[in-house]
Amino acid sequence: MVKVVLLLLLLLPSYLLGDGHIFVYHRFDDTRYPTTNISTQELRKEFNYLKKHNYKVVPLLDIVKKINAKEEVPSNWVAFSIDDGFKSFYTHGLKVFKEYNYPFTLFIAVKYTEKKYKDYVSWKQLKEIAKYGTVEFHSYGHGHYGRMSDEQIKADMDRGLKLMREHLNYEPTLFVYPYGEYDNRVDNVMQNYNFQAVFNQNIGAINGECSDAYDIDRSAVVGSNAHDFKLYLKFQELCGVTFQQPTEFPKDKVVKTVELTLDETNITSAEIFISNNGWTKVKVKNGKILWNANKKVKLNRIKIGVKVKNRIKLMVLSK
């Protein structure tokens, strides 16, 4: 009997081994910007993969409701989001979502629509888009909130929300951090706006019982990286992680020490991720990781993460 059960477990579809997932896109069929673009041909491949393997694409708000209720997110649930409001979603991406009848949430940086930037959707186009998905908030000016004062953040938020109410007759309930940049101070400002959820752009998964509704992971998919898409679907959320060092962006761009605590004290090994440096195996003792990394980073925004087998959790630090 035990052998039969083990065999059945091995034969189960791979999606049953992971949590729910949220993916984020930006541009569609726009080869001028390969780091934020996906072709509609590749998008169809991803959608076909989901259909073939019995994933269920749900509205983003359905996952948010599970998180806020601390309920399990079904392992075959997937939700899609699109950031910024580039016109290429309206001209190229939207038809694919309509073709597959997949729900989506578009987060707009209001300034570019209000000022009629040519690469961004118009208010009229947003109203058309809203017939097939939901339109939510991604700030007014898409500034680096981690580098702005509380007053500047509030002014940017209030201006953008006011314009959305005026043009769309709608009060946004979901928000995405510009550039995925945030810290405890920025998070405290967001608490004043009573959003149902706030999203980052960190690779990860959604576990309704431990995910933070004001720091929800979304995995970005660009280019022809079908392998990444399938890999991301296998990730689970690593719950019970407390990042202790570093707490600020290193002035000399060298991450000297990584320190964190895991709630699970029986884990003996893990992998640590630092931007531009990949993953490194480290030892874990009584749930504690203390690693003398001394790793140089290149960008002004870095991600540090921890992975135990296929369970993962990342955080971001900005200059």
Side-chain angles (χ1 to χ4, degrees):
M1 182 63 179
V2 173
K3 290 182 178 180
V4 172
V5 172
L6 289 174
L7 178 61
L8 289 173
L9 287 173
L10 289 172
L11 293 174
L12 284 173
S14 61
Y15 69 75
L16 291 179
L17 301 177
D19 294 338
H21 296 83
I22 302 171
F23 291 97
V24 54
Y25 302 96
H26 292 80
R27 303 173 190 264
F28 300 81
D29 285 340
D30 190 345
T31 55
R32 296 172 300 167
Y33 305 96
T35 60
T36 55
N37 179 61
I38 187 170
S39 70
T40 50
Q41 180 182 10
E42 182 64 30
L43 187 65
R44 284 190 173 90
K45 288 181 182 178
E46 293 174 2
F47 286 3
N48 286 334
Y49 182 86
L50 295 178
K51 282 187 174 294
K52 180 180 178 180
H53 292 86
N54 299 313
Y55 285 90
K56 181 179 180 181
V57 179
V58 301
L60 188 58
L61 195 56
D62 285 7
I63 291 182
V64 169
K65 290 176 179 176
K66 290 287 188 182
I67 294 172
N68 283 323
K70 295 297 179 184
E71 295 177 354
E72 179 183 355
V73 177
S75 297
N76 67 330
W77 276 22
V78 170
F80 289 112
S81 58
I82 301 98
D83 280 6
D84 298 331
F86 292 112
K87 188 174 290 185
S88 65
F89 174 66
Y90 179 78
T91 56
H92 296 100
L94 179 59
K95 63 183 179 184
V96 182
F97 280 87
K98 290 166 62 177
E99 177 184 331
Y100 285 79
N101 196 30
Y102 279 170
F104 60 85
T105 299
L106 174 63
F107 290 94
I108 65 164
V110 176
K111 171 184 175 180
Y112 307 114
T113 292
E114 176 67 7
K115 293 187 176 293
K116 300 179 180 179
Y117 280 47
K118 66 177 183 178
D119 264 0
Y120 290 79
V121 292
S122 67
W123 289 113
K124 181 179 179 181
Q125 289 167 341
L126 280 173
K127 291 176 181 177
E128 176 70 16
I129 290 169
K131 295 177 182 178
Y132 306 98
T134 57
V135 178
E136 295 288 352
F137 190 49
H138 191 30
S139 80
Y140 172 74
H142 206 281
H144 295 262
Y145 275 14
R147 306 176 193 174
M148 296 163 60
S149 69
D150 290 5
E151 290 72 24
Q152 289 173 323
I153 295 172
K154 291 175 183 176
D156 182 90
M157 293 286 295
D158 293 343
R159 186 176 185 181
L161 289 168
K162 181 175 182 289
L163 286 167
M164 287 196 73
R165 287 192 293 267
E166 289 177 356
H167 288 279
L168 302 177
N169 192 30
Y170 174 65
E171 185 74 41
T173 61
L174 307 177
F175 175 70
V176 164
Y177 291 113
Y179 301 100
E181 293 191 356
Y182 56 98
D183 52 27
N184 289 336
R185 178 184 64 85
V186 176
D187 178 69
N188 288 335
V189 176
M190 290 304 107
Q191 299 291 336
N192 297 319
Y193 287 90
N194 296 317
F195 290 113
Q196 290 190 40
V198 177
F199 302 83
N200 60 47
Q201 191 173 303
N202 292 338
I203 296 170
I206 312 300
N207 181 309
E209 297 176 27
C210 75
S211 293
D212 181 351
Y214 265 57
D215 192 18
I216 299 176
D217 295 334
R218 303 178 304 155
S219 301
V221 184
V222 295
S224 300
N225 52 356
H227 174 268
D228 286 351
F229 182 74
K230 296 174 185 177
L231 175 64
Y232 296 162
L233 283 167
K234 295 179 181 178
F235 283 144
Q236 292 177 294
E237 180 165 8
L238 180 60
C239 299
V241 180
T242 303
F243 290 96
Q244 292 152 319
Q245 289 191 68
T247 58
E248 297 179 350
F249 188 91
K251 293 180 180 180
D252 57 1
K253 288 193 172 183
V254 175
V255 178
K256 295 180 175 61
T257 303
V258 175
E259 182 180 5
L260 58 89
T261 302
L262 307 175
D263 283 355
E264 297 178 55
T265 57
N266 61 334
I267 294 171
T268 58
S269 65
E271 294 179 71
I272 297 295
F273 175 84
I274 299 176
S275 293
N276 311 124
N277 291 277
W279 294 93
T280 302
K281 290 184 178 180
V282 298
K283 294 182 179 179
V284 186
K285 186 175 181 179
N286 297 324
K288 303 284 186 181
I289 294 175
L290 182 61
W291 178 45
N292 295 320
N294 291 314
K295 297 293 185 180
K296 184 80 173 181
V297 296
K298 299 177 181 179
L299 305 176
N300 292 327
R301 183 172 75 254
I302 61 173
K303 293 184 179 182
I304 297 175
V306 57
K307 180 160 66 78
V308 178
K309 294 184 179 179
N310 68 325
R311 295 186 294 153
I312 187 173
K313 193 63 182 177
L314 275 72
M315 55 91 79
V316 64
L317 294 172
S318 58
K319 188 173 180 180

